Amino acid sequence: MEAIRPVRRTLLRDRAYEVIRDAIVAGEIEPGAVVRDADLAERLGLSRAPVRDAFARLVDEGLLESKPQSYTRVTPVVAAEVRDAAAVVGAMHELATRVAVPRLAPRDVDAMRAANDRFAAAVRAGDVDVALGADDELHDVLVRVSGNRAAAATVARYTPLIRRLERRRFGEGGNCRSAGLHERLIAACAAGDVAEAVRVTAEIWRGLEQLADEEPH
């Protein structure tokens, strides 16, 4: 038992942030819904302080909006903001791909293939959670291998804005990403073809920008 240590407040803050963020992205807390730190703290079994810290971070990232002494609520899905986020995240993925492809080991390519198999199976089954999780795993291989922490942080910050729209389209019977495009990306990575891998990455993220353009304004 000596190895057990108290959970640091920073970890509670991060955990509160992750749970609330994921609930917003999944639509469990809907756009426009007012959120209260006391209510969520009780539901999460936490004090109000880490929830307030999480709220501040989510406001900064565009998933919540706050008017002091009045309300904190979930932001609407705004097409222009999703498009901007997709352009920025796409640029970071292109950068990561350019750096990572020459560094990839066979096990990295195998991990990408396994993630795409899970993605394709989840799309066929209509399982949005598994599909988007597998999609993250596939692209995260390239981000991780690139070693670019700034790119990784930017992707982590802005991807949730895009995911909200993807999840809604998936729920409406759409499919926002293509296992076929993933296969092309993996083939280019396996061949060490940096230019082709970057081209396919750009194509994937252009598709998400176009998805935002199709959203009613």
Side-chain angles (χ1 to χ4, degrees), residues 8-128:
R8 296 197 306 272
R9 180 176 177 276
T10 53
L11 295 182
L12 293 177
R13 177 194 63 199
D14 292 345
R15 181 58 181 155
Y17 162 78
E18 291 168 0
V19 170
I20 298 167
R21 178 202 62 196
D22 291 349
I24 292 170
V25 171
E28 295 167 9
I29 307 176
E30 297 181 350
V34 172
V35 292
R36 297 177 176 85
D37 56 8
D39 293 342
L40 284 173
E42 182 177 359
R43 290 173 60 186
L44 294 172
L46 300 173
S47 69
R48 294 169 70 173
V51 175
R52 286 173 177 166
D53 288 342
F55 278 10
R57 185 171 171 185
L58 290 162
V59 167
D60 186 52
E61 294 181 359
L63 291 175
L64 292 179
E65 57 187 1
S66 182
K67 183 177 180 181
Q69 309 302 320
S70 182
Y71 63 78
T72 300
R73 65 188 180 195
V74 179
T75 56
V77 178
V78 179
E81 293 177 1
V82 175
R83 192 182 197 288
D84 289 347
V88 170
V89 172
M92 293 301 98
H93 277 292
E94 288 179 48
L95 172 63
T97 298
R98 184 173 289 109
V99 174
V101 169
R103 302 178 179 178
L104 289 170
R107 65 178 179 274
D108 297 318
V109 178
D110 289 343
M112 293 174 71
R113 288 196 180 101
N116 196 39
D117 288 343
R118 290 192 296 275
F119 173 83
V123 169
R124 289 193 298 269
D127 190 330
V128 61

Side-chain angles (χ1 to χ4, degrees), residues 166-181:
E166 285 189 283
R167 280 179 157 283
R168 189 163 74 191
R169 289 299 181 86
F170 199 113
E172 292 169 352
N175 176 18
C176 305
R177 305 225 186 175
S178 165
L181 280 175

Side-chain angles (χ1 to χ4, degrees), residues 131-164:
L132 294 182
D135 184 81
D136 280 338
E137 290 174 27
L138 188 155
H139 293 284
D140 283 351
V141 170
L142 294 168
V143 175
R144 172 180 56 78
V145 173
S146 78
N148 190 318
R149 296 176 64 182
T154 302
V155 167
R157 174 171 180 166
Y158 290 106
T159 296
L161 288 172
I162 305 165
R163 288 298 196 219
R164 284 206 292 173

